[in-house]
Amino acid sequence: MIFPRSNLRLKPSILTSFVLLTLPVFCAIIGVTYFSNDRLARANAQELVERFRADAIDNIEHDFTPIKSLVRSAAALGSQNPAFYEDGRCFRYFHSILMHSPKIVSAYVGLSDGTFRQTRRIDAAVKIQDELPPEGSRFAYRWIVRKPGEPVLDHYLFLDADLKRLGESEHPTTYDPRTRLWYRSAADAGTEMISDPDIFATLGLIGFTVAAPFYSNGKLRGVAAIDITLTGLGQYLAERKVSPGTLSYILDHQGRVIAASDLSKTYANVDGKLELLHVTSLPSELPAIAFSARPRGSDGLYTFTYQDKEYVGSLSTLSPEFGKRWQLFIVTPMLDFTGTFQRNNLRLAAFGLLAVVVQIIVIYLLTSVISAPLEKLAFKVGRIQELGGEQLPAVTSSIREIAVLSRAIDTLDAAVKSFSAFVPIGLVSQLLQSEQKLELGGHSRFLTIFFSDLEAFSSLSEEVPSQELLLRVSAYLELVTKTVNQEHGTIDKFIGDGVMAFWGAPALLDDHAWRACVAAMRIQRGMDALNGRWEADDLKPLNVRIGIHSDAVLVGNIGSRERMSYTVMGDGVNIASRLEGINKEFGIRVCISHSVFKEAGERLCVRPIDDVAVKGRRAKVPIYELMGVYGADDPGLEPDAATLRLCKLTRLAYEALVREDHALAARRYREILTEFPHDPVASALAKRLVTV
């Protein structure tokens, strides 16, 4: 019989034989245990999600039921006694409605003649009619009564927690309840209704209105309504999670987020208009992936995978009796339910593997007597094949066959020793590991370009010794390089004391503009620390100016066949460089363009500076000073209260400047200097406006 040739080794063969006989049984036990536990965990997960879904839908619907009843009662009172809402008797009744729930922020009525009466909660920090309420205000009675030939006034009576009078206010108004959506919708529906999310104009809050019309002698006399906030819905979801990692949302019929269990902001208030975020537009990708994976046309549970993790999702619509086609959206990681079982499985596997390892060690010691000298001889032959020059010790063994083999190998080693000195050791390790060729060329991509430069470097180079200047500039360049790399950017080149970098290539980054801004803020803070040490040594500080711009540019290998560089080219690069230079004109440190603000504005704290002309662009480009960033892992990068105040004041002045109301703009910039006397932007623009 002829046996096939093989390259099996003695010791591994013995050990492998043992493992092949032992591990299958061990793995079978682990597998059966794992899959049994996994099925139990999945069944438990689906049961808990289904139970939470049903309970949450019931609770949400029941949460609105008492409020609907209150609105119906208020409407019934108006139908039975129309005169009740024509004077101040209704205010205490509305107050009793507020006491039913802290989520109710106001109760009111609008009459068909334009009369409006309301009892509402008061936030002492929110201005009413351009003034803060009296100290201690907790409630307010509000009324608007239209009389022929008299101006329409909006009256407020401020009350403390015991409904004691604290002060009054009145102001001319154009408010007419009959033109409001809650009034018109309830009048058209002819019954109670729940509005879409809206901004309560006098409260500065986001919420819903539950309203119901009332009639007298078949004619519409008015609409009674209650305002409730969104906060309660989000808090409810946060307090009743299926598992620690569960995310749950209340969506409208279009998939826009009404409330979230993580209590994140799900809307934007733009000039008084509510803009709800779609579930696919949230900062986290997980809700978008889960929403896209849902089965179309049916409610119920489903599973999907995201970043190699399995999740359970549920999208259910509230019953038609609720009055709105809201949906409850639940996403929960399966690991929250299988994690305990998996840890038990790991402990079982670890114990079994330990037992196998102990047995392998025993077998290893027994086989070492034979295999150890053979392995040494095999290693010695391998070194001879590699033309190794060092002298290996002789291998001895009490086994005759191995001793004979050892002497034969020593003879072979001596025979080839003279050749080893002429063979370049390690030649194979120098071969190229990749067949891919570097070629000239590039493509267009939307990136964020970054330029930094040292302020007054030319003057500093004349005053500071060369060696000292080299060390300090090197510290600055090292800080910039480390920070850019930390934020996944690409250093393009060093231009004297300047640095050019970009984000978004070669690796794609969805948040390239935000990362560039985070890097800029980290660099400025790092330079503050460096300057602090230098100033302690009586050395002049180094101030860094940074310009950032996002644009479509050409990126790729550019140069010649003999020498090439991976870089970016285009008009956007010139604009970023120009922005770096603009810092000097306004005495600021970090200047960004409007395109950067559009890309990452909600995560940035900026203030507008001016609209500047850029070479190659017809229209002027709005520019901003970067004052802070949100969402980074360092709270120190976020703006403080004074910075936020400065940004707010600058925006007001800039708005006047854009409207070409130079007198108002100049006055507002001077007001900034009163509060922030060393602000360079306000100083520069105030001086410029003097000559206009």
Side-chain angles (χ1 to χ4, degrees):
M1 177 180 293
I2 299 177
F3 292 96
R5 297 178 61 186
S6 63
N7 294 318
L8 297 178
R9 298 172 58 191
L10 179 61
K11 183 187 291 186
S13 298
I14 296 175
L15 296 177
T16 301
S17 298
F18 169 77
V19 171
L20 291 177
L21 293 174
T22 305
L23 283 185
V25 177
F26 172 72
C27 292
I29 295 174
I30 295 296
V32 170
T33 304
Y34 172 82
F35 288 111
S36 298
N37 290 339
D38 187 68
R39 282 195 297 270
L40 289 174
R42 291 173 181 275
N44 183 48
Q46 294 184 357
E47 180 182 351
L48 288 176
V49 171
E50 179 62 29
R51 185 186 306 165
F52 172 77
R53 182 188 67 82
D55 292 345
I57 290 177
D58 288 343
N59 281 315
I60 292 171
E61 293 178 348
H62 293 161
D63 208 23
F64 279 87
T65 299
I67 297 174
K68 289 181 179 180
S69 298
L70 291 173
V71 170
R72 285 196 295 268
S73 298
L77 180 59
S79 296
Q80 295 175 4
N81 185 7
F84 180 74
Y85 293 125
E86 294 178 358
D87 53 39
R89 291 177 295 168
C90 60
F91 288 131
R92 283 190 174 271
Y93 172 65
F94 287 153
H95 178 266
S96 68
I97 293 178
L98 294 185
M99 295 299 100
H100 279 80
S101 172
K103 289 180 288 189
I104 300 177
V105 296
S106 68
Y108 49 92
V109 64
L111 301 182
S112 59
D113 62 358
T115 297
F116 179 76
R117 285 186 169 85
Q118 177 190 46
T119 300
R120 52 164 289 192
R121 299 184 189 273
I122 291 296
D123 184 347
V126 177
K127 291 184 177 181
I128 295 178
Q129 295 182 345
D130 298 327
E131 293 184 2
L132 291 175
E135 184 176 356
S137 296
R138 294 295 180 268
F139 301 97
Y141 294 159
R142 180 190 179 193
W143 66 94
I144 299 172
V145 179
R146 284 176 165 75
K147 296 181 180 180
E150 297 183 9
V152 181
L153 297 178
D154 191 356
H155 301 269
Y156 274 88
L157 176 61
F158 298 101
L159 309 168
D160 63 8
D162 298 324
L163 299 184
K164 294 181 180 178
R165 181 191 303 258
L166 297 178
E168 297 184 30
S169 174
E170 65 179 23
H171 196 274
T173 184
T174 59
Y175 182 86
D176 189 336
R178 297 169 296 184
T179 64
R180 306 300 290 180
L181 183 60
W182 57 269
Y183 186 99
R184 292 185 284 108
S185 298
D188 293 341
T191 184
E192 75 270 3
M193 50 76 66
I194 302 175
S195 72
D196 290 327
D198 196 4
I199 298 175
F200 302 147
T202 58
L203 300 175
L205 298 174
I206 305 296
F208 307 92
T209 298
V210 182
F214 56 89
Y215 302 85
S216 177
N217 297 324
K219 294 183 179 180
L220 178 67
R221 290 300 303 273
V223 174
I226 295 175
D227 289 340
I228 60 174
T229 63
L230 277 170
T231 306
L233 294 177
Q235 192 65 39
Y236 171 82
L237 297 177
E239 294 172 353
R240 294 166 177 81
K241 289 187 175 182
V242 178
S243 68
T246 297
L247 294 174
S248 51
Y249 304 90
I250 298 176
L251 312 177
D252 66 7
H253 66 284
Q254 295 179 344
R256 296 176 299 181
V257 182
I258 297 173
S261 61
D262 58 3
L263 303 180
S264 60
K265 188 174 181 180
T266 61
Y267 54 85
N269 186 346
V270 181
D271 297 330
K273 181 180 179 182
L274 175 65
E275 295 181 0
L276 287 177
L277 296 176
H278 194 271
V279 68
T280 58
S281 300
L282 296 175
S284 172
E285 291 184 351
L286 178 58
I289 299 297
F291 191 76
S292 301
R294 72 192 188 283
R296 302 301 192 271
S298 63
D299 292 350
L301 303 180
Y302 61 93
T303 59
F304 66 96
T305 302
Y306 172 66
Q307 293 184 346
D308 298 327
K309 296 180 181 179
E310 188 175 5
Y311 292 83
V312 176
S314 173
L315 183 66
S316 304
T317 304
L318 275 65
S319 63
E321 291 78 10
F322 179 66
K324 303 294 290 185
R325 290 193 301 158
W326 289 359
Q327 305 172 90
L328 177 64
F329 184 41
I330 306 169
V331 181
T332 185
M334 186 65 75
L335 187 62
D336 283 1
F337 304 94
T338 61
T340 301
F341 294 110
Q342 289 183 3
R343 287 190 290 272
N344 291 336
N345 291 336
L346 289 175
R347 284 192 286 267
L348 177 61
F351 177 78
L353 288 175
L354 179 62
V356 172
V357 168
V358 171
Q359 297 178 62
I360 290 176
I361 291 174
V362 174
I363 297 174
Y364 175 86
L365 295 175
L366 295 176
T367 57
S368 294
V369 176
I370 298 174
S371 62
L374 291 178
E375 290 179 352
K376 292 179 181 178
L377 291 174
F379 176 76
K380 197 169 188 178
V381 171
R383 296 300 298 163
I384 294 173
Q385 290 176 333
E386 296 174 0
L387 301 179
E390 70 275 12
Q391 181 66 42
L392 296 176
V395 177
T396 59
S397 175
S398 58
I399 300 175
R400 181 176 178 276
E401 289 79 0
I402 297 178
V404 171
L405 179 61
S406 176
R407 288 193 296 272
I409 291 175
D410 288 341
T411 302
L412 176 64
D413 185 23
V416 300
K417 187 67 69 177
S418 59
F419 296 99
S420 61
F422 303 96
V423 178
I425 305 300
L427 178 62
V428 175
S429 62
Q430 299 177 13
L431 297 177
L432 293 175
Q433 300 299 317
S434 175
E435 297 180 358
Q436 183 178 1
K437 297 180 180 179
L438 293 176
E439 297 179 349
L440 293 172
H443 57 276
S444 179
R445 183 179 292 182
F446 190 80
L447 307 176
T448 296
I449 304 98
F450 166 106
F451 273 88
S452 73
D453 195 15
L454 290 177
E455 179 181 308
F457 180 74
S458 298
S459 301
L460 190 67
S461 62
E462 297 176 357
E463 301 172 2
V464 178
S466 300
Q467 189 62 28
E468 176 189 322
L469 182 63
L470 177 62
L471 293 175
R472 294 173 65 186
V473 171
S474 297
Y476 145 67
L477 294 176
E478 181 180 5
L479 170 65
V480 174
T481 301
K482 287 184 177 180
T483 304
V484 170
N485 291 335
Q486 179 183 354
E487 294 303 326
H488 307 289
T490 301
I491 294 289
D492 188 309
K493 59 178 69 72
F494 297 114
I495 311 169
D497 61 313
V499 179
M500 175 182 172
F502 53 87
W503 277 259
L508 291 173
L509 291 173
D510 293 335
D511 55 352
H512 51 83
W514 177 77
R515 287 187 177 275
C517 293
V518 172
M521 296 303 297
R522 292 190 193 278
I523 290 169
Q524 293 295 349
R525 194 174 67 167
M527 287 304 300
D528 290 341
L530 287 176
N531 287 330
R533 294 201 298 269
W534 290 333
E535 290 176 341
D537 296 333
D538 295 328
L539 300 176
K540 288 186 177 181
L542 298 180
N543 295 321
V544 178
R545 297 189 296 236
I546 297 173
I548 305 174
H549 175 60
S550 297
D551 208 337
V553 295
L554 180 66
V555 58
N557 295 313
I558 299 170
S560 66
R561 294 184 181 275
E562 289 74 22
R563 180 163 182 169
M564 61 184 68
S565 173
Y566 187 79
T567 185
V568 294
M569 297 175 61
D571 183 52
V573 178
N574 300 330
I575 294 178
S577 177
R578 167 72 173 127
L579 292 177
E580 183 275 319
I582 287 178
N583 286 291
K584 181 178 181 180
E585 300 178 21
F586 294 95
I588 60 177
R589 298 291 180 83
V590 184
C591 181
I592 68 173
S593 67
H594 186 64
S595 61
V596 175
F597 178 70
K598 288 197 301 182
E599 285 293 308
E602 72 280 0
R603 303 174 71 183
L604 304 179
C605 176
V606 302
R607 62 167 174 167
I609 301 175
D610 198 2
D611 295 349
V612 300
V614 177
K615 184 178 180 180
R617 298 288 179 97
R618 293 184 178 179
K620 289 187 176 182
V621 177
I623 60 173
Y624 306 83
E625 180 183 6
L626 180 63
M627 308 292 282
V629 293
Y630 300 100
D633 57 1
D634 187 351
L637 301 181
E638 297 184 3
D640 56 19
T643 301
L644 293 174
R645 170 68 176 168
L646 178 58
C647 291
K648 179 180 179 181
L649 294 176
T650 306
R651 281 194 294 271
L652 294 175
Y654 174 77
E655 289 171 359
L657 182 64
V658 170
R659 294 195 304 268
E660 298 185 356
D661 189 346
H662 295 157
L664 177 59
R667 186 173 74 251
R668 288 180 174 175
Y669 282 120
R670 288 194 297 270
E671 291 173 355
I672 294 175
L673 291 173
T674 301
E675 190 168 344
F676 300 91
H678 302 294
D679 179 45
V681 173
S683 177
L685 290 173
K687 290 179 181 178
R688 191 178 75 184
L689 289 171
V690 170
T691 62
V692 176

